[in-house]
Amino acid sequence: MPAPTDILSSHGPLAAVLGAKFEPRPEQLDMARAVSETLANRTHLLVEAGTGVGKSFAYLVPAILRAIEHNETILLATNTIALQEQLITKDIPLLREILDPQPPPSDDPSLPPPTPKLRPVLVKGRGNYISIRRLKLASQRQDRLFPDPASRRSLHQVEEWAYETRDGTLSTLPQLERPGIWDKVQSDSGNCMGRKCPDYESCFYQSARRAMEGANLLVCNHALFFSDLALRAQEVGFLPKYDHVILDEAHGVEDTAADHFGISLSEGRINHLLTTLYHPRTGRGYLPQLGLLAGDTESVERAVRLTLDALDASRLFFEQLAEIAQRISQSKDPRSATPQNWRTHNAASARIREPGITDNLLTPAMNNLTVRLRSLREACKSDQDQYELNAYAIRASEIADDAAALIDQTLPGCAYWIESSPPSEDSHFQRVTLACSPIEVAPILKGRLFDQPHSVILTSATLSTRRVKEDETRESAEMAFSHTISRLGAEGARTLQLGSPFDHSTQAQLVIDTTVGEQSARTSSFFPDDAPARSTPAPTYTDRLSDRILHHLRQTDGGAFVLFTSFATLNAVARRLRPPLNNLNLPMYAQGLDGSRQTILEKFREDERSVLLGAASFWQGVDVRGRGLRNVIITKLPFDPPDRPLTEARTELMQSRGQDPFREDALPRAIMKFKQGFGRLIRSKTDSGQVVVLDARLLTARYGKQFLLALPDGLNITRLTQ
């Protein structure tokens, strides 16, 4: 079997298959060589590979060779669905044809087909799969389970799809009028009948499980991987044993791990379960129909009363949390909260420092309901209803336990907070969540990931905080990765930095515009030139920022991402930009205002003069190639808000250790996010454009130079100071 570098060389089989589409990339060969050595030695590797290196093939080729030659299992996790689909539908099939070609089928039908050496599988969480048995049950009882015609129409839509789908997963399910229907028909471990199920042999999940157990290349997302890693501490993980782990898009690993090693309890999660059991407005739900079926109306009525008690407890519980969060916000900044209901404000978080912040009304109510559901399960004669009741009891018990853990703060080393999220489409109120996450995930990941007998490879375009020079020593080069290594507990891992093959000196320009803080009302395009000075109010920061954004949008005639660090600023700028952009016939799409993330991205791609205003997720994981994106405007250096609960907790912990939280944590995080934002511009050898930074600190602050040192070498920089 040839070496990975032979496969990827300009004279190799991949080049022969791709023909004119093949591009020789020295950086790709370096990465493939390092990955191959890491797999062979079962060590750990961090690879920063710039856009265009072709890192997918650089890790897939050695991983596939390892699976074929040594019969070892590789787990590959990505952060985005787009990359998973690319790997499983394009990259892996192409390499499989080269590295594991299948012989033609035998003319003898009695002979079994040959077993391929490479067996890739896309692994999805159980909740992604339809349960045929539960679908049939829901269909039989739809008149009593579903209160409105829209829900029943959605159920019929699922039924029609279930006859056609090949994999039985949500990825192929059309958009439903009532998405909540899925909860009644999805596969669920709590109500799985196993081999007792009449649909066991045709079960989509069980088929996927069998394929997973026989696979040697597992592809999943970060969320599923870290969910399994958290469950393994309780010896209930669901992924099979693997020999190697490859985490692509690894810049998001810390945040994903923190989410899955913490606890989150939302009002929506609780109310969804309770109204599924009994909906007080319609009088329908699982429990009323169970009473009709079983004939034991008295026991069911007691369960209904306990469900209503739990609904009341949930409402009071979250109202109290909202009031506490409002008080905390007012104590920090009296302007941050008004006498209005706190739930109607913008998204916010309030850290909870002490246990017992409020009476825990929820845990006893949910425990009482759990006991009643288990009692009903024991008395129920129908196998299917026994399993349904078991699943509901498990979910009620988990809510009770989570509420107790969060109120009593029983998870050590965590930050606890109350969070409000923006209103959903069907509600005018903010959604309130009580949550906690580990302040540090490094000790957890060190024990559960890096100290285990498998190799771990992390790769991304942003894992370091500066460019590594060619003549640097290995020890000096590793310092560029020190923040990532320390935050993930990956001490001892080898590091490798590979620049992009793109020529940023000719394809990109960096414009540092420091004039936002220096504009006067007279020069602002939002004020008439002939307006009297005494009647023109001093422009706010948002006015000045909007004016400069508009200036740079005019320069490129749109085709721009405008990246924000807060939704409040994004929303304010969107209001100011919409009229002038309409006058210029430049379509504008603002995240959170003009549709879902995917919807506005698709609309942006349809017109190369479009302008997209984005925050959070648009700094990373978005790939727009060609003239459609020729201008990336970064409104502010992306430092985390210092009062964000996790950030605040990390700061306090580092200060207690005598560390410098800004230099050792806040600054490296901002630099890597800045690199992600900059990386939206050049995605291919034919892309060109400018990145505009509207934050003077890039030039005036002592740390500004460190942001510039992280960008590609040879970049042309223009400074606008007036």
Side-chain angles (χ1 to χ4, degrees):
M1 186 69 72
T5 49
D6 296 330
I7 303 294
L8 296 167
S9 73
S10 57
H11 303 291
L14 182 62
V17 170
L18 292 178
K21 294 181 179 179
F22 180 82
E23 295 180 17
R25 301 168 185 174
E27 299 91 349
Q28 188 181 61
L29 298 179
D30 290 341
M31 179 173 172
R33 191 178 296 111
V35 170
S36 183
E37 292 172 359
T38 301
L39 297 176
N41 298 326
R42 292 201 177 226
T43 51
H44 307 318
L45 172 69
L46 275 66
V47 185
E48 180 176 270
T51 305
V53 165
K55 63 179 181 295
S56 299
F57 280 5
Y59 59 68
L60 279 175
V61 170
I64 290 172
L65 291 176
R66 197 77 197 169
I68 292 173
E69 293 178 0
H70 299 274
N71 196 29
E72 293 175 349
T73 300
I74 292 88
L75 186 140
L76 170 57
T78 77
N79 192 46
T80 60
I81 294 174
L83 181 54
Q84 291 169 55
E85 292 177 345
Q86 174 190 317
L87 294 173
I88 208 73
T89 63
K90 294 173 60 179
D91 296 349
I92 293 174
L94 174 62
L95 293 174
R96 187 178 188 176
E97 287 296 316
I98 296 171
L99 302 175
D100 188 29
Q102 297 303 296
S106 171
D107 294 334
D108 186 350
S110 64
L111 294 176
T115 302
K117 293 180 180 179
L118 179 66
R119 301 178 298 280
V121 166
L122 177 61
V123 182
K124 299 183 180 183
R126 184 166 194 156
N128 284 276
Y129 290 89
I130 186 79
S131 166
I132 300 299
R133 177 187 64 80
R134 295 192 73 209
L135 176 61
K136 291 177 180 177
L137 188 66
S139 181
Q140 293 168 5
R141 304 178 180 181
Q142 58 183 286
D143 291 337
R144 296 187 292 271
L145 283 176
F146 304 119
D148 61 298
S151 296
R152 293 191 286 275
R153 286 195 299 269
S154 294
L155 177 66
H156 298 156
Q157 192 175 355
V158 174
E159 289 177 306
E160 293 173 2
W161 162 81
Y163 284 109
E164 301 174 355
T165 180
R166 293 187 176 183
D167 67 352
T169 72
L170 273 170
S171 62
T172 60
L173 180 65
Q175 182 68 38
L176 299 178
E177 193 175 356
R178 291 285 188 269
I181 288 297
W182 182 255
D183 182 68
K184 315 297 191 301
V185 299
Q186 69 179 6
S187 181
D188 187 324
S189 60
N191 57 33
C192 177
M193 298 179 70
R195 294 186 179 276
K196 293 176 63 176
C197 177
D199 298 292
Y200 178 80
E201 294 301 327
S202 59
C203 176
F204 289 108
Y205 172 74
Q206 296 297 342
S207 296
R209 180 83 191 182
R210 289 189 289 269
M212 180 181 70
E213 294 291 348
N216 55 9
L217 180 57
L218 308 165
V219 180
C220 66
N221 62 24
H222 287 177
L224 188 143
F225 174 73
F226 286 108
S227 176
D228 175 78
L229 206 62
L231 290 171
R232 284 178 180 237
Q234 307 166 32
E235 299 185 350
V236 289
F238 48 85
L239 290 173
K241 182 181 179 296
Y242 41 80
D243 301 288
H244 310 281
V245 176
I246 301 174
L247 300 177
D248 199 347
E249 302 175 311
H251 54 273
V253 159
E254 183 184 7
D255 289 340
T256 306
D259 287 343
H260 285 83
F261 289 117
I263 300 174
S264 178
L265 186 62
S266 69
E267 191 173 11
R269 168 188 165 191
I270 299 167
N271 289 353
H272 179 71
L273 168 63
L274 296 176
T275 55
T276 296
L277 291 171
Y278 178 75
H279 201 295
R281 183 174 57 81
T282 65
R284 298 192 184 189
Y286 176 77
L287 289 174
Q289 63 86 33
L290 180 66
L292 293 173
L293 292 170
D296 185 3
T297 56
E298 184 178 347
S299 296
V300 171
E301 285 174 359
R302 286 201 296 271
V304 168
R305 287 196 295 272
L306 290 173
T307 302
L308 293 173
D309 290 345
L311 278 167
D312 288 340
S314 175
R315 177 179 54 79
L316 291 171
F317 182 77
F318 285 99
E319 283 180 355
Q320 290 172 355
L321 292 179
E323 291 171 0
I324 291 167
Q326 182 183 8
R327 289 199 300 271
I328 293 172
S329 297
Q330 288 175 323
S331 67
K332 286 187 174 182
D333 182 359
R335 299 168 299 174
S336 65
T338 69
Q340 300 172 359
N341 192 323
W342 183 75
R343 298 187 186 203
T344 63
H345 292 179
N346 290 326
S349 299
R351 187 174 171 198
I352 307 303
R353 295 179 173 273
E354 301 293 337
I357 56 165
T358 186
D359 293 335
N360 184 2
L361 308 172
L362 193 56
T363 293
M366 296 304 294
N367 277 334
N368 289 338
L369 179 59
T370 300
V371 171
R372 173 52 52 188
L373 293 174
R374 287 173 177 165
S375 177
L376 282 175
R377 181 194 63 192
E378 296 301 321
C380 190
K381 297 179 181 179
S382 164
D383 284 347
Q384 295 207 63
D385 285 310
Q386 286 179 3
Y387 282 96
E388 290 290 314
L389 286 164
N390 182 66
Y392 290 133
I394 289 173
R395 290 162 65 180
S397 179
E398 288 173 346
I399 289 170
D401 293 343
D402 287 352
L406 288 165
I407 292 296
D408 298 335
Q409 299 194 358
T410 58
L411 267 66
C414 285
Y416 293 78
W417 69 90
I418 302 167
E419 182 175 293
S420 68
S421 302
S424 61
E425 294 180 359
D426 56 354
S427 172
H428 298 295
F429 294 99
Q430 294 262 7
R431 292 164 292 171
V432 180
T433 300
L434 182 62
C436 74
S437 283
I439 300 171
E440 294 182 303
V441 298
I444 301 172
L445 293 183
K446 177 175 173 55
R448 301 188 192 181
L449 181 61
F450 293 103
D451 284 349
Q452 298 303 312
H454 50 240
S455 61
V456 181
I457 297 166
L458 292 88
T459 184
S460 168
T462 50
L463 292 176
S464 70
T465 55
R466 63 172 175 83
R467 291 190 309 273
V468 175
K469 300 177 182 178
E470 291 184 7
D471 58 352
E472 282 193 63
T473 64
R474 180 173 177 176
E475 291 75 14
S476 175
E478 287 179 351
M479 290 300 295
F481 291 83
S482 60
H483 180 264
T484 298
I485 289 172
S486 65
R487 296 311 307 173
L488 299 183
E491 287 78 7
R494 178 187 171 188
T495 63
L496 177 64
Q497 186 185 76
L498 300 168
S500 171
F502 303 148
D503 186 0
H504 284 83
S505 65
T506 59
Q507 291 181 254
Q509 182 180 27
L510 176 65
V511 179
I512 305 174
D513 186 340
T514 66
T515 64
V516 170
E518 300 170 2
Q519 275 185 270
S520 68
R522 284 285 194 182
T523 61
S524 173
S525 62
F526 291 92
F527 298 93
D529 289 340
D530 57 351
R534 64 179 181 274
S535 64
T536 302
T540 65
Y541 167 75
T542 304
D543 292 326
R544 300 191 303 269
L545 180 64
S546 302
D547 184 76
R548 295 310 294 168
I549 292 171
L550 183 61
H551 167 79
H552 292 290
L553 293 176
R554 282 173 169 157
Q555 280 198 324
T556 59
D557 193 35
F561 272 7
V562 187
L563 301 178
F564 295 83
T565 59
S566 82
F567 278 101
T569 305
L570 185 157
N571 293 339
V573 169
R575 288 193 297 270
R576 288 162 173 78
L577 283 182
R578 207 175 290 275
L581 290 183
N582 284 339
N583 292 336
L584 294 169
N585 293 319
L586 295 179
M588 188 193 84
Y589 307 105
Q591 185 179 3
L593 298 176
D594 299 315
S596 68
R597 178 180 185 272
Q598 188 60 36
T599 297
I600 64 174
L601 185 58
E602 290 173 359
K603 290 180 178 178
F604 176 83
R605 287 182 169 134
E606 291 172 358
D607 188 333
E608 66 178 25
R609 299 180 70 241
S610 294
V611 176
L612 189 149
L613 278 57
S617 59
F618 276 100
W619 285 77
Q620 58 188 354
V622 181
D623 194 354
V624 179
R625 304 188 180 199
R627 181 169 166 76
L629 182 57
R630 52 195 177 272
N631 190 1
V632 173
I633 301 174
I634 295 175
T635 58
K636 198 173 183 180
L637 296 180
F639 287 99
D640 288 339
D643 59 351
R644 178 182 172 219
L646 265 180
T647 303
E648 192 176 64
R650 286 182 187 133
T651 297
E652 293 171 1
L653 181 62
M654 295 182 74
Q655 287 174 334
S656 72
R657 295 170 175 171
Q659 296 173 293
D660 184 339
F662 179 78
R663 294 283 176 186
E664 298 180 45
D665 192 53
L667 182 58
R669 288 180 189 277
I671 289 172
M672 287 193 282
K673 188 171 181 181
F674 180 73
K675 287 171 63 178
Q676 283 283 338
F678 180 91
R680 295 313 95 210
L681 182 67
I682 305 300
R683 310 298 296 176
S684 74
K685 286 190 174 181
T686 59
D687 288 349
S688 63
Q690 65 180 22
V691 175
V692 179
V693 181
L694 299 174
D695 193 329
R697 291 177 296 176
L698 204 57
L699 294 179
T700 60
R702 286 180 296 175
Y703 54 78
K705 186 177 181 180
Q706 296 189 46
F707 284 87
L708 298 177
L709 289 174
L711 298 179
D713 201 10
L715 189 65
N716 291 314
I717 301 177
T718 299
R719 296 167 173 82
L720 301 180
T721 57
Q722 60 180 5

